[in-house]
């Protein structure tokens, strides 16, 4: 029953998408508003279809319906409820189902937001694009990635999800957040295609979809940070970012989206970089598809990869198609849509944003090149090279430093042209903040040219952002924290926090393995000291639950008891470590058991690994701050229409006084052609 | 802004740039579509065709072994009791050992890879097999032989050169046929007992 | 923003002082570093060698038997006095393709060179574009002066926005 319902939902979705595409195509061709308005109906139809499939699959998982192949391979009667629910996205077919559900949700959201403009051909083309993408994903579920395949003879129980995917609650949140981000980029992409097709680039719609991009960007950021946090807590080595191909795949769209968020401000103010912004949007969407392919095709060695390769060719073909369509449209339309405006001086905010975009483009290039280079080398030369962490760190370090520098000077740069005096006066105080941070770091024992330089630039950038916020709140009170510029400064502060934590935890990490006994003896102490923290072994304890057996070691760290353990799940004899992390604002201690504790009571002993990393907590805090700042940036704030006069007379016969809280739906016309 | 702007040049920069990027991306697609799965790639062995590295582990079963003193064929097998294909190939190893004992030409020696001594002894008690089993020497032997995954076996000629590498389980008949082939070659080329080129 | 007529040096003095402090601090931090301890050397090496039986993890973050063997080898070799290069070479000779850093010679140089070339080309392109854009500045004409005079003469409401120039980014509409 579940399979029938679920598959019925998929079929309904496919039919709905096809219907929508045909209807919209005819409506656009023959200028029929009634047909264009039907996109609303179809949107709700495919959402209903996706919800139906989703509910069917969850029901199958929760009731342990092993007649479904997906449940039989991934579910189990002993998995706890939360992980059972999350099992849906722990394997390939289910993840496509989640993607489709979110895509349908976004389609409905667009239809509702633009309900008064559905008859506009530009919106029509955007909806058409979204339905085409939705058709692809529904189609995947119809064929290669069908989650509703049934088994003739259902087994009595299933193996459950991979043990590593069910020992931490973050597993339930990381993929949905990530997908809300990825899939969200489909919306601005659809509008980019629409603008290219209709040739209407000069209006404010691109700026309007900026909010959608920001929304998706926020979730992608949260998703990536949650993933890093999860890795840190679960893997037992203190690592949280390994420049793994799958991690890079999720990072690439983030880079291009961040570049877009900045360069769209240049478009808004000066009407420039229109074609570049379109390209960024198309690149972001294409990279989400490429990323999905890399994750699911098994072509690259990765810990994270789903190892199925049947949908690889389909995804790659879709990627190729997207690239062809995008490039074709841009090549066709691009030159006609270029703005005649010019940049007056490189030392200006436009100049800073341009440089920012070049740096982000280089960043994306480095990450992409490093990820696929082993394949290129093998294809062209037969060489087997591995491109790992050392490459990425060495390449991204200068990029990171330049970005920190730009974060420091861009907020104080005026538009059009800056003078040396402007910079000199405005940057003095942030400069001293940076210098103090450098000195403090040095006094705390930091060493190394690159980390110290990074700390200085981070302080510099933080000072600049704070200056902006202080000036804004002084003038506008709490409204000084809202709006694009101010919210953006808070996001920058989050980024800086994250950067400092990243540098510190990587450069000053130390690790130690030790054998400990309850009663101290030669070569087996009962207390060790690591980086100023005292760790005492108290004994072992059985911490098994219904879902898994676990033996934990009780450790007293700085007066509190922590229990890292080793788990064993019923589906196999693989033992999974469950480390614990002791976080404090200053540093984090990660303890992992190397082997289960031996002996009992007073003779018990255990081998542990202790990893000490400074400032880890600030990674997650920084991420949270970025999300928070992004939320604040979405508020309209004290907006003024950019073309309203600032200091000229507002006499009778002139333009009406500016509305202090304009309707955010009204699109401000950009200055410039 | 009131000055007359020159009309935008009818340049084609964007078109060329877009086409350039498009071509590169499509090449990437072609590249990716022609790649094999990562798991299917195998690596070359660094010991193939060269003198066999030392086998220095402590003997868990049987007596101490010195690879230089024998002039019989030697099948060096790396295994672990937790590795399912190793368990499956065990009868094949027993056959090679038994036949080799009979013909007096082939010895078998096993090296533990990442396993506990007690488990290994129990395994051999249950499954039989009386050839020498060396301890892993903290994994050093496996490292010297370039072994990263078990089961992996090597065939060493009487002159001490590694002539063949078997990834995955061995099949007794394959090993014996191979030995026969090499011996024929050696006999045919003047009986100096030199080893042929290492295979794949 | 008044154009300052103070002497250049006085105006730049705080910046020069800051620069001096920064340079000194960085110098202390860079050249005052102690030699890496054997522990640190072992950790660094372990982070740049891939675990032979894993997909993409470093030996430093993997528990497979082969990783443990490599880590032990690293420790032994460091004690025996081998250099980092020698240790890496030995591991690579036993397990090809385990060095996480692509080589600096042969085909591998491309992966290092291409991004640098990319940045150089992009920046050069921008510079060329800027040259073409130089507006050259028009001379101020009488027409312009009249326009300004006219605007200044018109009545201004008392609730002015304050002395901040429109170019102040804080003031700018969000």
């Amino acid at each position: 029953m579940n399979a029938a319902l679920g598959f019925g939902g998929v079929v309904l979705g496919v039919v709905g998408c096809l219907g929508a595409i045909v209807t919209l195509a005819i409506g656009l061709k023959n200028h029929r508003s009634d047909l264009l308005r039907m996109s609303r109906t179809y949107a709700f139809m495919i959402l209903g279809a996706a919800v139906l499939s989703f509910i069917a699959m969850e029901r199958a998982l929760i009731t342990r319906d092993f007649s479904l192949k997906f449940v039989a391979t991934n579910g189990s009667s002993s998995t706890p409820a939360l992980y059972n629910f999350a099992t849906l996205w722990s394997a390939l077919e289910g993840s496509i189902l989640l993607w489709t559900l979110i895509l349908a949700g976004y389609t409905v959201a667009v239809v509702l937001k633009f309900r008064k403009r559905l008859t506009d051909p530009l919106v029509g083309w955007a909806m058409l694009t979204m339905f085409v993408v939705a058709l692809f994903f529904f189609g995947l579920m119809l064929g290669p990635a069908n989650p509703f395949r049934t088994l003739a003879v259902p087994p009595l129980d299933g193996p459950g999800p991979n043990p590593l995917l069910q020992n931490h609650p973050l597993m339930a949140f990381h993929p949905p957040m990530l997908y809300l981000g990825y899939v969200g980029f489909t919306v601005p992409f659809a509008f980019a295609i629409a603008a290219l097709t209709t040739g209407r680039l000069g209006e404010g719609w691109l700026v309007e979809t900026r909010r959608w991009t920001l929304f998706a960007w926020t979730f992608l950021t949260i998703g990536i940070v949650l993933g890093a946090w999860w890795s840190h807590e679960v893997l037992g080595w203190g690592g949280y970012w390994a420049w793994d191909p799958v991690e890079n795949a999720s990072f690439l769209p983030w880079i291009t989206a961040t570049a877009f968020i900045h360069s769209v401000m240049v478009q808004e103010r000066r009407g420039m970089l229109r074609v570049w912004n379109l390209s960024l949007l198309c690149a972001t969407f294409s990279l989400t598809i490429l990323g999905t392919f890399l994750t699911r095709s098994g072509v690259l060695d990765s810990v994270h990869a789903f190892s199925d390769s049947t949908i690889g060719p389909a995804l790659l073909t879709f990627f190729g198609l997207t690239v062809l369509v995008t490039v074709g449209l841009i090549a066709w339309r691009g030159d006609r849509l270029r703005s005649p405006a010019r940049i007056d001086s490189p030392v200006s905010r436009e100049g800073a944003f341009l440089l920012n975009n070049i740096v982000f483009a280089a960043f994306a290039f480095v990450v992409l090149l490093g990820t696929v280079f082993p394949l290129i080398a093998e294809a062209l030369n037969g060489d087997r090279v591995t491109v790992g962490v050392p490459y990425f760190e060495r390449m991204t370090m200068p990029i990171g430093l330049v970005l920190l520098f730009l974060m420091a000077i861009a907020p104080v740069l005026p538009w059009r042209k800056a003078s040396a005096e402007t910079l000199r006066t405005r940057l003095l105080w942030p400069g001293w903040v940076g210098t103090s941070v450098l000195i403090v770091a040095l006094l705390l024992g930091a060493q190394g040219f690159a980390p110290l330089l990074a700390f200085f630039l981070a302080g510099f950038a933080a000072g600049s952002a704070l200056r902006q916020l202080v000036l804004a709140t002084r003038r506008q009170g709490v409204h000084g924290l809202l709006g694009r510029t101010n919210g953006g400064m808070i996001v920058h502060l989050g980024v800086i926090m994250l950067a400092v934590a990243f540098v510190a935890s990587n450069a000053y990490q130390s690790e130690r393995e030790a054998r400990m006994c309850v009663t101290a003896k030669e070569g087996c102490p009962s207390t060790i000291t690591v980086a100023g923290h005292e760790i005492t072994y108290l004994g072992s304890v059985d911490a098994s639950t219904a879902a898994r057996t676990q033996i934990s070691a009780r450790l007293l760290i700085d007066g509190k008891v922590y229990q890292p353990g080793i788990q064993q799940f019923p589906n196999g004899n693989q033992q999974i470590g469950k480390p614990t992390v002791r976080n404090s604002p200053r540093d984090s201690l990660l303890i992992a058991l190397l082997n289960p504790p031996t002996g009992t009571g007073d003779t018990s002993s255990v081998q542990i690994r202790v990893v000490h990393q400074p400032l880890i907590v600030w990674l997650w805090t920084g991420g949270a701050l970025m999300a928070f700042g992004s939320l604040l940036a979405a508020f309209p704030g004290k907006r003024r229409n950019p073309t309203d006069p600032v200091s000229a007379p507002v006499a009778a016969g002139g333009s009406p006084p500016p509305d202090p809280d304009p309707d955010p739906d009204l699109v401000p016309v950009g200055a410039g052609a | 802004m009131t000055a007359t702007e020159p009309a935008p040049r009818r340049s084609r920069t964007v078109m060329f740039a877009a086409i350039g990027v498009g071509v590169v991306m499509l090449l990437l697609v072609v590249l990716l579509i022609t790649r094999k799965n990562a798991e299917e790639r195998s690596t070359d062995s660094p010991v193939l065709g060269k003198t066999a590295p030392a086998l220095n582990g402590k003997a868990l079963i049987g007596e101490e072994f010195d690879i230089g003193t024998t002039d019989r064929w030697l099948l060096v097998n790396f295994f672990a009791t937790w590795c399912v294909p190793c368990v499956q190939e065990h009868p094949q190893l027993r056959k090679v050992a038994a036949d080799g004992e009979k013909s007096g030409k082939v010895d078998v020696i096993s090296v533990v890879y990442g396993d506990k001594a007690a488990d290994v002894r129990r395994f051999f008690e249950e499954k039989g097999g009386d050839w020498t089993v060396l301890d892993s020497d903290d994994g050093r032997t496996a490292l010297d032989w370039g072994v990263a995954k078990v089961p992996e076996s090597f065939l060493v000629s009487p002159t001490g050169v590694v002539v063949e590498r078997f990834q995955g389980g061995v099949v007794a008949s394959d090993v014996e046929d191979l030995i026969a082939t090499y011996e024929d070659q050696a006999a045919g080329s003047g009986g100096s007992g030199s080893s042929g080129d290492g295979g794949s | 923003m008044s154009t300052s007529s103070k002497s250049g040096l006085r105006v730049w003095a705080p910046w020069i002082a800051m620069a001096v402090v920064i340079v000194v601090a960085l110098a202390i931090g860079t050249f005052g570093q102690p030699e890496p301890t054997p522990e640190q050397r072992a950790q660094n090496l372990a982070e740049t060698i891939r675990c032979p039986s894993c997909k993409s993890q470093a030996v430093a973050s993997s528990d497979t038997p082969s990783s443990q063997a490599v880590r032990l080898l690293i420790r032994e070799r460091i004690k025996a006095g081998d250099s980092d290069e020698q240790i890496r070479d030995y591991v690579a000779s036993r397990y090809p393709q385990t060095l996480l850093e692509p080589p600096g010679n042969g085909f591998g140089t491309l992966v290092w060179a291409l991004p640098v070339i990319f940045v150089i080309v992009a920046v050069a392109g921008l510079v060329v574009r800027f040259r073409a854009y130089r507006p050259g500045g028009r001379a101020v004409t009488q027409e312009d002066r009249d326009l300004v005079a006219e605007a200044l003469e018109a009545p201004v409401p008392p609730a002015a926005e304050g002395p901040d120039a429109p170019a102040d980014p804080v003031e700018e509409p969000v």
Side-chain angles (χ1 to χ4, degrees):
Chain A
M1 225 272 278
N2 291 319
L5 271 180
F7 196 68
V10 173
V11 171
L12 182 63
V14 172
V15 165
C17 289
L18 281 172
I21 292 171
V22 169
T23 312
L24 284 174
I26 298 178
L28 284 166
K29 184 165 185 299
N30 297 339
H31 307 288
R32 292 190 44 189
S33 318
D34 54 331
L35 289 183
L36 290 179
R37 239 177 261 123
M38 286 190 71
S39 51
R40 185 184 172 135
T41 321
Y42 282 112
F44 276 106
M45 188 171 153
I46 65 168
L47 180 62
V51 168
L52 180 65
S53 298
F54 183 77
I55 291 181
M57 180 54 87
E58 285 294 2
R59 185 160 173 270
L61 279 170
I62 292 174
T63 58
R64 274 83 171 180
D65 178 358
F66 292 112
S67 66
L68 248 70
K69 185 160 179 241
F70 185 79
V71 182
T73 359
N74 297 305
S76 131
S77 47
S78 52
T79 324
L82 175 68
Y83 296 113
N84 213 14
F85 186 81
T87 304
L88 187 133
W89 48 80
S90 71
L92 178 74
E93 295 86 355
S95 70
I96 301 287
L97 179 53
L98 181 65
W99 187 298
T100 313
L101 174 69
I102 295 178
L103 183 57
Y106 270 110
T107 312
V108 165
V110 173
V111 144
L112 289 176
K113 172 83 179 178
F114 289 88
R115 61 187 172 282
K116 299 206 185 92
R117 287 179 276 178
L118 284 178
T119 50
D120 185 341
L122 190 142
V123 179
W125 274 105
M127 296 306 310
L128 181 65
T129 313
M130 291 203 69
F131 280 115
V132 168
V133 177
L135 177 65
F136 172 73
F137 281 100
F138 272 112
L140 274 183
M141 284 201 291
L142 205 58
N146 186 356
F148 298 105
R149 285 198 194 102
T150 49
L151 293 173
V153 182
L156 292 170
D157 199 351
N162 185 320
L164 266 181
L165 295 179
Q166 44 169 329
N167 64 353
H168 200 285
L170 275 178
M171 166 54 192
F173 299 100
H174 158 64
M177 293 283 130
L178 211 58
Y179 283 20
L180 277 170
Y182 276 162
V183 181
F185 289 125
T186 315
V187 176
F189 169 72
F191 278 94
I193 296 287
L196 281 168
T197 327
T198 56
R200 286 158 56 183
L201 255 192
E203 301 156 29
W205 72 267
L206 178 64
V207 167
E208 191 164 357
T209 56
R210 185 183 64 84
R211 271 226 183 86
W212 294 87
T213 316
L214 198 61
F215 186 78
W217 180 90
T218 311
F219 279 106
L220 187 57
T221 308
I222 295 176
I224 294 178
V225 171
L226 281 183
W229 190 5
W230 180 29
S231 300
H232 185 253
E233 299 257 320
V234 157
L235 293 179
W237 295 93
Y240 49 84
W241 187 260
W243 296 106
D244 180 81
V246 167
E247 292 172 352
N248 294 347
S250 76
F251 195 44
L252 281 168
W254 187 91
I255 298 174
T256 50
T258 310
F260 172 78
I261 289 174
H262 289 88
S263 65
V264 78
M265 288 194 253
V266 179
Q267 174 163 349
E268 205 174 336
R269 286 228 108 223
R270 304 285 321 278
M272 301 166 54
L273 298 182
R274 291 184 285 198
V275 174
W276 175 247
N277 286 334
L278 282 176
S279 315
L280 280 176
L281 283 178
C282 297
T284 308
F285 176 74
S286 312
L287 285 170
T288 59
I289 303 294
L290 183 65
T292 311
F293 164 76
L294 287 175
T295 318
R296 284 163 180 71
S297 68
V299 161
L300 285 168
D301 280 325
S302 165
V303 173
H304 298 75
F306 300 91
S307 57
D308 204 285
S309 56
T310 52
I311 73 169
L315 280 167
L316 203 52
T317 314
F318 189 59
F319 172 71
L321 223 64
T322 311
V323 166
L324 266 174
V325 166
T326 308
V327 165
L329 282 173
I330 292 180
W332 171 44
R333 287 285 199 196
D335 284 303
R336 271 188 265 169
L337 299 173
R338 288 168 72 197
S339 142
R342 300 279 184 257
I343 294 188
D344 300 314
S345 154
V347 186
S348 62
R349 195 166 302 181
E350 302 95 305
F353 279 143
L354 258 189
L355 189 57
N356 156 308
N357 266 250
I358 290 184
V359 175
F360 274 117
F363 199 177
F365 183 68
V366 162
V367 174
L368 184 59
L369 182 68
T371 309
V372 300
F373 192 75
L375 299 174
I376 299 177
E378 194 190 337
L380 292 184
N381 226 22
D383 276 349
R384 302 274 191 75
V385 296
T386 324
V387 178
V389 173
Y391 170 78
F392 289 105
E393 286 191 345
R394 201 176 293 187
M395 280 291 178
T396 58
M397 188 192 43
I399 290 178
L401 291 174
V402 172
L403 284 175
L404 280 174
F405 176 69
L406 282 175
M407 270 196 274
I409 66 169
V412 306
L413 281 174
W415 292 92
R416 283 201 167 250
K417 198 171 160 79
S419 68
E421 177 171 359
T422 318
L423 287 177
R424 197 176 62 217
T425 29
R426 291 181 182 172
L427 286 176
L428 189 61
W429 180 68
W432 282 116
V433 170
T435 317
S436 342
V437 168
L438 173 61
I439 295 178
V440 165
L442 201 59
L443 290 175
L444 286 176
Q447 297 273 338
F449 178 72
L452 286 175
L453 184 60
F455 292 144
F456 164 69
L457 288 173
F460 194 19
S464 198
L466 282 170
R467 174 187 173 276
Q468 178 78 10
L469 285 171
V470 163
L471 286 174
T473 44
R474 236 197 263 164
R475 163 169 308 288
Q476 296 169 346
V478 88
H479 276 281
L481 292 175
L482 298 177
R484 196 184 57 205
T485 316
N486 305 318
M489 288 300 108
I490 297 182
V491 174
H492 276 193
L493 284 175
V495 174
I496 293 167
M497 207 184 274
L498 210 148
V500 167
F502 189 84
V503 168
S505 60
N506 272 338
Y508 307 122
Q509 172 175 326
S510 71
E511 178 186 305
R512 181 162 151 196
E513 288 178 14
R515 177 171 208 88
M516 298 181 70
C517 297
V518 176
T519 34
K521 28 181 209 277
E522 179 74 40
C524 191
S526 68
T527 305
I528 58 175
T529 313
V530 177
H533 298 276
E534 221 179 60
I535 305 175
T536 312
Y537 179 47
L538 298 176
S540 67
V541 69
D542 187 318
S544 304
T545 65
R548 53 177 175 48
T549 51
Q550 175 174 337
I551 307 187
S552 301
R554 296 183 69 234
L555 295 167
L556 188 70
I557 308 178
D558 295 340
K560 201 163 161 246
V561 175
Y562 290 83
Q563 294 191 346
I566 296 206
Q567 297 173 331
Q568 188 144 347
F569 287 85
N571 71 343
N573 45 13
Q574 204 188 357
Q575 288 188 326
I576 304 286
K578 182 149 175 41
T580 59
V581 183
R582 182 197 175 279
N583 283 316
S584 78
R586 216 191 131 110
D587 57 18
S588 289
L589 268 187
L590 186 145
I591 322 261
L593 297 190
L594 294 177
N595 287 309
T598 49
T600 49
D602 283 346
T603 60
S604 178
S605 81
V606 73
Q607 268 186 311
I608 64 171
R609 177 190 312 124
V610 184
V611 183
H612 171 255
Q613 293 164 303
L615 301 184
I616 283 280
V617 201
W618 299 102
L619 285 168
W620 327 131
T621 319
L625 196 57
M626 283 169 79
F628 180 61
S630 169
L631 184 68
L632 293 176
F635 276 84
K638 274 251 179 232
R639 245 183 134 137
R640 268 187 297 160
N641 193 321
T643 55
D644 279 342
V646 173
S647 53
V650 183
S655 57
D659 180 2
D661 285 309
D663 180 350
D665 275 327
L666 282 182
V667 174
V669 178
Chain B
M1 275 171 288
T2 53
T4 47
E5 305 277 356
R9 286 172 300 140
R10 180 82 194 141
S11 76
R12 294 173 170 250
T13 331
V14 173
M15 187 175 85
F16 288 131
I19 292 180
V21 169
V23 164
V24 169
M25 284 296 124
L26 287 173
L27 282 176
L28 178 65
V29 170
V30 168
L31 172 77
L32 289 172
I33 229 170
T34 54
R35 291 304 97 207
K36 308 182 297 206
N37 212 304
E39 299 202 336
E40 295 162 18
R41 295 195 200 103
S42 63
T43 56
D44 303 320
S45 171
V47 303
L48 215 45
K50 308 210 173 66
T51 312
L55 288 170
N56 284 332
K58 186 173 64 108
L60 285 182
I61 296 174
E63 319 97 34
E64 288 294 334
F65 194 88
D66 183 0
I67 202 168
T69 59
T70 179
D71 39 66
R72 293 151 68 137
W73 289 88
L74 184 63
L75 185 67
V76 181
N77 166 259
F78 290 85
F79 83 109
T81 59
W82 43 258
C83 139
V84 173
C86 306
V87 175
Q88 286 170 343
E89 75 167 348
H90 195 78
Q92 297 291 320
L93 286 171
R94 290 188 62 186
K95 184 162 189 305
V96 174
D99 292 347
E101 195 65 38
K102 234 185 324 172
S103 69
K105 279 204 286 206
V106 188
D107 277 327
V108 176
I109 182 168
S110 286
V111 181
V112 175
Y113 175 84
D115 207 350
K116 301 196 195 81
D119 290 343
V120 169
R121 288 201 185 94
R122 196 174 350 116
F123 178 81
F124 271 83
E125 271 165 26
E126 288 173 13
K127 310 264 187 200
D130 58 357
W131 56 88
T132 307
V133 178
L134 297 179
D135 199 1
S136 66
D137 189 23
D138 288 323
R140 196 45 194 276
T141 314
L143 199 154
D144 287 338
W145 285 72
V147 170
K149 278 196 163 78
V150 283
E152 196 165 325
S153 307
F154 298 86
L155 186 62
V156 183
S157 76
T159 51
V161 177
V162 178
V163 300
E164 189 69 41
R165 172 217 213 186
F166 305 93
Q167 277 178 305
V170 295
V171 177
S173 50
D174 288 345
V175 176
E176 286 159 4
D177 289 344
L178 204 59
I179 294 177
T181 319
Y182 276 116
E183 296 206 317
D184 287 343
Q185 267 182 2
S189 65
S192 60
S194 64
S195 66
D197 257 45
S200 65
Chain C
M1 284 188 298
S2 57
T3 43
S4 168
S5 53
K6 288 193 276 185
S7 76
L9 200 59
R10 277 175 75 196
V11 150
W12 286 101
W15 281 99
I16 297 177
M18 197 193 302
V20 167
V21 172
I22 294 171
V23 166
V24 167
L26 285 176
I28 296 177
T30 320
F31 300 115
Q33 276 183 95
E35 280 293 311
T37 63
E39 279 296 321
Q40 284 171 328
R41 273 184 70 198
Q43 181 70 14
N44 284 338
L45 272 173
E47 280 170 4
T48 58
I49 298 177
R50 183 173 65 88
C51 147
S53 48
C54 314
K55 295 208 174 181
S56 62
Q57 282 145 294
V59 151
S61 36
S62 158
D63 261 333
T64 62
S66 52
S67 309
Q68 290 175 353
V70 172
R71 287 210 302 267
L72 206 62
L73 174 84
I74 293 175
R75 288 214 152 81
E76 276 175 26
R77 285 293 173 104
I78 287 181
K79 254 190 243 165
D82 278 1
S83 75
D84 285 357
E85 198 57 43
Q86 285 170 312
I87 301 177
R88 260 194 270 255
D89 284 343
Y90 181 74
V91 176
S93 74
R94 300 292 100 195
Y95 293 120
Q97 303 127 41
T98 49
L99 293 184
L100 282 175
E101 197 165 335
N105 49 10
F107 197 75
T109 25
L110 270 184
V111 80
W112 297 102
L114 279 176
V116 177
I117 296 176
F118 177 93
V119 171
I120 293 177
V121 165
V123 172
L126 268 194
V127 166
V128 164
R129 266 282 148 76
F130 270 125
R131 288 275 148 84
Y133 285 176
R134 277 264 149 259
R138 286 179 323 137
V140 178
T141 65
Q142 187 54 35
E143 205 181 294
D144 295 330
R145 288 186 218 278
D146 292 337
L147 206 67
V148 170
E150 211 180 301
L152 287 176
E153 269 163 30
V156 181
E161 278 304 317
D164 301 82
D168 183 346
V170 175
E171 188 69 353
E172 272 165 354
V174 161

